[in-house]
Amino acid sequence: MHSSTTDGRSIRFLNIVDEYTRLCLSIKVGRSIPSEDAIDALAALFSIHGVPKRIRCDNGPEFISTAIKSWLEALSVDVFYIESGSPWQNGLCESFNGKLRDEYLHQAELLSVADARVQARAWREDYNGHRPHSSLGCLTTKEFALRCAVTCFLNDPFIPPGTANGGIPVWLTMATVCKFHLNGYWFINAN
């Protein structure tokens, strides 16, 4: 997705969201987002959350490049590309992008790339931590993700019970949440 700074120069946004928990994992902001930057953003998230089984993305140049295709294939990540002109294949992404556009981009004056990054980070924190989602039982995405992680943790026979928090180890934090759900798609969009 794209917008512009107050000086009229174009600015792009790479949005990465977990489809199951609806957590916005990252909003990368730049004047352009080449495939190398997309790989860097994904690599950082993979190191924190683990490698997802699959991602869904549009057919933007940063996602159809040989570099990103080869990198994802080497990691055994399945990539599902959305057909051009088929928004129904990507309803969650369209909904997220609409919220980002209406609640952030149309409301903010973006002075620079650095300013856009700061504002995008604040909007993402609000989206994840303070806004209930009806599709998640009126929980925030953080609350829902944490409940999913705790449920998976408590049902995992290979993890010995801890002593803190009723058997849930102290290290179970938001950074580990996405490692626990089993069928996660991430959607990535940089229109």
Side-chain angles (χ1 to χ4, degrees):
M1 96 182 309
H2 65 283
S3 187
S4 60
T5 50
T6 54
D7 61 5
R9 296 177 60 202
S10 181
I11 191 167
R12 300 209 50 211
F13 296 81
L14 173 68
N15 306 320
I16 304 174
V17 177
D18 179 85
E19 285 190 358
Y20 184 72
T21 64
R22 311 293 203 266
L23 268 173
C24 176
L25 302 172
S26 176
I27 300 175
K28 184 166 182 62
V29 181
R31 292 283 178 203
S32 66
I33 302 178
S35 61
E36 294 80 15
D37 288 353
I39 290 171
D40 290 345
L42 289 171
L45 290 171
F46 291 1
S47 70
I48 294 168
H49 300 289
V51 178
K53 291 182 179 183
R54 58 196 65 86
I55 61 172
R56 182 187 326 264
C57 59
D58 61 20
N59 290 295
E62 59 278 339
F63 301 118
I64 60 172
S65 75
T66 304
I68 199 163
K69 284 181 174 181
S70 299
W71 182 72
L72 290 169
E73 185 178 324
L75 294 172
S76 300
V77 175
D78 295 329
V79 181
F80 297 101
Y81 291 101
I82 298 154
E83 293 179 35
S84 297
S86 302
W88 56 86
Q89 292 180 349
N90 203 19
L92 182 63
C93 180
E94 295 297 327
S95 175
F96 177 84
N97 286 344
K99 287 178 179 70
L100 180 70
R101 191 176 296 107
D102 293 342
E103 299 170 8
Y104 164 50
L105 295 177
H106 289 171
Q107 305 295 322
E109 284 193 5
L110 306 176
L111 303 175
S112 65
V113 172
D115 179 50
R117 285 180 183 138
V118 169
Q119 290 189 51
R121 188 176 314 117
W123 186 87
R124 183 175 66 89
E125 289 171 7
D126 179 63
Y127 175 85
N128 285 338
H130 302 291
R131 183 174 309 159
H133 293 253
S134 59
S135 63
L136 302 177
C138 293
L139 298 172
T140 67
T141 59
K142 279 187 177 181
E143 291 170 323
F144 183 77
L146 188 56
R147 286 185 185 191
C148 291
V150 168
T151 300
C152 289
F153 176 80
L154 293 176
N155 292 324
D156 189 335
F158 301 105
I159 299 177
T163 57
N165 300 323
I168 301 168
V170 176
W171 52 261
L172 183 61
T173 65
M174 286 308 299
T176 61
V177 165
C178 290
K179 292 180 183 175
F180 290 98
H181 77 80
L182 303 176
N183 295 315
Y185 273 94
W186 288 5
F187 76 70
I188 304 170
N189 186 280
N191 280 336

